[in-house]
Amino acid sequence: MSAADDEYDLVTLGAGSGGVRASRFAAANYGAKVLVVEHPFGFVSSETIGGAGGTCVIRGCVPKKLLVYSSQFADEFFDSKGFGWSMSASPTHSWEEMIAHKDKEIQRLNTTYNNILKNAGVEYVEGRGVVVDPHTVEVQIPGGGTRRIRTKNILVAVGAVPTRIPVEGSELAVTSDEALALDSLPQGSIAVLGAGYIATEFAGIFKGMGKEVQLMYRGDKVLRGFDEECRDQVQENLEKRGTQIMPGCNPTKIEKKGDGFTLHYKNAAGEELSMDVGLVMMATGRKPRTYNLGLEAAGVEMDDIGAIKVDEHSRTTVPSIWAVGDATNRVNLTPVALMEGMAFAKTCFGGEPTVPDYTFIPSAVFCNPPMATVGYTEEGAMKELGGELDVYTSKFRPMKYTLSGRDEKTFMKLIVHVETDRVVGVHMVGPESPEIMQGIAIALKCGATKAQFDSTVGIHPSSAEEFVTMRSKTRRVMGTGTSKL
Ligand code: FAD
Ligand code: NDP
């Protein structure tokens, strides 16, 4: 080990959302000597492939949203007819061309993330980092060789990886990693397994690209954990747009058949059935990438799914080892990993102990049309808050569809805690809902009351104005919880 190697204030494992934010702030704002270890770049992650930017930039939020944009042009072509447009020929889509453009953009962003770190004075080493002891990291260099680095602090920001459910032939299915990098679309239909964020988003993407899609899941409804009425609306939209919904179904085996696959499954009635498809995609959750990292040996405690246990400052059970982002399985979203990374840097190097604030975190599912949400679901509010709750709902046909003829409704919902008049939950399924919800989240963070929503002047004509014109409550329900606002 060289003398210089002994001098680091921080070694970060992983240059994803949390790792980059924490390392950049520690170095640029607080003058810490920081080294980041990250796998070499590649579109599909593996035990040896990663890249600066991490999941969000290379195989998550960004490429997914680019594909969502691409798929939504199909809606625009359809809707434009009612507004007088006609196409001289049916529009066609080239998956290959879209992927080539997407790849170019992702490579540009990967370079940008490398430069962000470089410009902040962070040293960057390519390889796989493992923890040797509370103050030592070993980097396994691609192509052979290792480098040992001593450091005052270690930040584990290694993210998560897609999981495959254990059925025979599961290795034949793609995950979101491969789905975002397919060379071409298959001839036959696409069976998407799961009903969470990724499954519903990819069902929309593939459907928009003109594929037949089967959405197969074990529950009775998509998007468990979200507001029940929103779940109903998303499910209705998926069905109306032609996705074959297969609730209560469990895959049992995947077999190769010709250019495609046979997917065997048990349906809700317990019957053993099968169908031939062009591609099977598993969107059945992700797990922290914390295995074989030397963490247990160093004394870092983890939970039963391998998420690193941390205190409110993101410190693990070993004082010099910290962890942020998906590796800790708190709220697995990019802006949350950024918040945790920033709070860590302030705590560890800024002399300003900072606890990330998990209240009123907004999120969006980019299914088509999207769903966005902030605060309590109706069911969550009833369980956690005490006293009366007023629920306001609105379901309407967006103005654009009056001429386009699209048979689809937008759904909006406000949940109000009667005693304090505070708006505690806002949900929407409809076009532009993520863009609308970001502003609403600020209002909820500020403790906005229903009276303040009502006294806010709307923007007309828009769907968003409905949130400030909901005057008649749909129902009053009773909360039985004890949480305080
Ligand atoms: P990551 O971004 O995963 O970064 C971890 C990094 O660590 C990786 O680059 C990895 O290569 C590296 N690494 C792992 N092990 C080692 C090691 N031993 N040594 C060195 N490096 C290592 N969130 C949203 O907010 N909005 C969205 O729209 C959204 N869409 C998503 C779509 C998909 C398909 C997926 C999969 C996720 C999506 N997410 C979205 C979630 C979001 O991407 C993650 O929450 C976020 O990237 C987590 O950041 P992180 O820093 O914890 O980990
Ligand atoms: P989710 O947790 O959202 O969904 C997982 C799905 O897989 C659920 O439908 C779940 O069913 C199902 N499932 C899990 N295990 C099994 C099993 N053994 N057999 C059958 N079905 C199973 O995870 P995703 O993979 O969709 O996404 C991972 C995370 O990434 C998200 O939770 C989110 O934090 C983040 N993300 C955020 C996005 C955004 O912000 N727009 C987009 C994409 C990802 P059940 O509900 O019955 O448990």
Side-chain angles (χ1 to χ4, degrees):
M1 187 196 321
S2 72
D5 278 349
D6 214 8
E7 292 172 6
Y8 290 95
D9 296 310
L10 174 67
V11 171
T12 300
L13 303 189
S17 308
V20 168
R21 178 59 62 93
S23 304
R24 174 162 75 88
F25 263 76
N29 290 31
Y30 304 122
K33 184 172 159 68
V34 183
L35 181 144
V36 170
V37 188
E38 172 62 62
H39 293 296
F41 173 85
F43 289 107
V44 176
S45 73
S46 74
E47 295 313 305
T48 53
I49 294 295
T55 302
C56 170
V57 171
I58 303 169
R59 53 194 84 85
C61 330
V62 176
K64 179 273 307 284
K65 187 82 188 275
L66 294 175
L67 265 60
V68 166
Y69 281 132
S70 179
S71 69
Q72 287 175 342
F73 279 100
D75 292 353
E76 294 297 318
F77 297 138
F78 174 89
D79 290 336
S80 70
K81 292 190 192 104
F83 292 88
W85 290 94
S86 58
M87 311 273 164
S88 48
S90 292
T92 56
H93 181 261
S94 163
W95 174 271
E96 293 75 4
E97 206 172 308
M98 178 195 66
I99 292 291
H101 293 160
K102 182 271 291 177
D103 285 355
K104 200 167 154 207
E105 173 59 7
I106 300 308
Q107 274 161 324
R108 186 188 70 78
L109 288 172
N110 171 250
T111 306
T112 303
Y113 272 79
N114 273 301
N115 288 336
I116 286 172
L117 289 172
K118 199 159 114 195
N119 295 339
V122 172
E123 194 179 328
Y124 189 86
V125 177
E126 262 187 8
R128 177 168 190 276
V130 293
V131 174
V132 176
D133 66 42
H135 293 283
T136 311
V137 164
E138 183 174 277
V139 184
Q140 297 159 354
I141 311 286
T146 58
R147 175 178 166 191
R148 282 204 168 199
I149 304 157
R150 293 279 296 166
T151 175
K152 292 193 183 83
N153 296 282
I154 297 170
L155 177 66
V156 185
V158 293
V161 285
T163 52
R164 287 182 163 84
I165 51 176
V167 295
E168 197 181 328
S170 65
E171 72 286 354
L172 297 171
V174 298
T175 69
S176 54
D177 272 19
E178 296 87 11
L180 287 165
L182 290 174
D183 291 336
S184 58
L185 281 177
Q187 284 299 317
S189 68
I190 300 180
V192 180
L193 311 184
Y197 275 92
I198 295 179
T200 52
E201 292 182 342
F202 275 79
I205 289 170
F206 291 135
K207 192 71 200 147
M209 308 289 181
K211 296 308 299 177
E212 286 308 311
V213 177
Q214 291 97 7
L215 190 65
M216 179 183 286
Y217 48 97
R218 62 183 175 184
D220 61 341
K221 232 189 263 181
V222 296
L223 294 170
R224 185 164 63 83
F226 287 91
D227 188 88
E228 290 297 322
E229 281 176 293
C230 290
R231 296 175 70 191
D232 290 334
Q233 187 64 52
V234 171
Q235 185 140 316
E236 182 185 315
N237 294 346
L238 280 159
E239 253 178 321
K240 267 197 179 157
R241 284 170 175 257
T243 293
Q244 187 187 342
I245 302 290
M246 303 180 70
C249 291
N250 284 290
T252 50
K253 189 174 165 185
I254 305 168
E255 279 179 310
K256 187 93 191 88
K257 184 177 183 195
D259 287 340
F261 305 91
T262 302
L263 174 61
H264 300 266
Y265 64 98
K266 214 179 241 187
N267 71 7
E271 295 165 303
E272 303 270 5
L273 302 167
S274 68
M275 60 184 177
D276 290 342
V277 297
L279 185 73
V280 182
M281 175 178 176
M282 283 202 189
T284 45
R286 293 169 62 79
K287 67 164 188 242
R289 201 175 176 175
T290 51
Y291 41 87
N292 304 330
L293 272 190
L295 292 170
E296 296 96 328
V300 175
E301 281 179 25
M302 290 187 257
D303 70 12
D304 50 6
I305 65 151
I308 300 172
K309 291 185 185 173
V310 287
D311 68 12
E312 59 178 11
H313 290 110
S314 298
R315 195 191 285 262
T316 72
T317 44
V318 175
S320 60
I321 305 182
W322 310 69
V324 294
D326 286 6
T328 61
N329 195 30
R330 284 174 279 183
V331 179
N332 298 329
L333 299 172
T334 284
V336 176
L338 298 177
M339 170 173 73
E340 290 168 355
M342 182 105 96
F344 154 76
K346 282 186 182 168
T347 302
C348 195
F349 300 107
E352 200 185 328
T354 303
V355 176
D357 181 357
Y358 295 92
T359 56
F360 294 111
I361 294 172
S363 80
V365 182
F366 294 94
C367 47
N368 193 21
M371 174 177 82
T373 167
V374 60
Y376 289 94
T377 62
E378 184 178 341
E379 301 73 33
M382 286 170 70
K383 204 165 141 212
E384 289 182 35
L385 299 176
E388 292 169 328
L389 298 155
D390 281 347
V391 179
Y392 296 79
T393 59
S394 178
K395 197 168 174 171
F396 58 93
R397 191 181 201 195
M399 187 194 267
K400 187 174 177 185
Y401 300 165
T402 55
L403 293 202
S404 78
R406 183 180 291 281
D407 177 20
E408 192 169 82
K409 297 275 184 355
T410 281
F411 176 74
M412 287 172 146
K413 182 171 196 171
L414 289 182
I415 298 153
V416 179
H417 185 245
V418 174
E419 186 193 332
T420 57
D421 195 40
R422 276 187 64 179
V423 180
V424 294
V426 182
H427 311 275
M428 175 172 176
V429 180
E432 312 305 340
S433 55
E435 304 295 338
I436 295 168
M437 205 55 67
Q438 185 65 76
I440 302 263
I442 300 172
L444 263 61
K445 258 321 243 196
C446 295
T449 61
K450 179 66 166 61
Q452 287 167 326
F453 268 62
D454 292 347
S455 69
T456 302
V457 175
I459 292 175
H460 184 73
S462 69
S463 290
E465 68 179 317
E466 194 69 16
F467 276 133
V468 294
T469 55
M470 288 181 175
R471 297 285 188 267
S472 336
K473 63 174 171 285
T474 309
R475 59 188 163 269
R476 177 165 282 186
V477 294
M478 214 41 210
T480 53
T482 52
S483 294
K484 290 277 163 261
L485 281 170

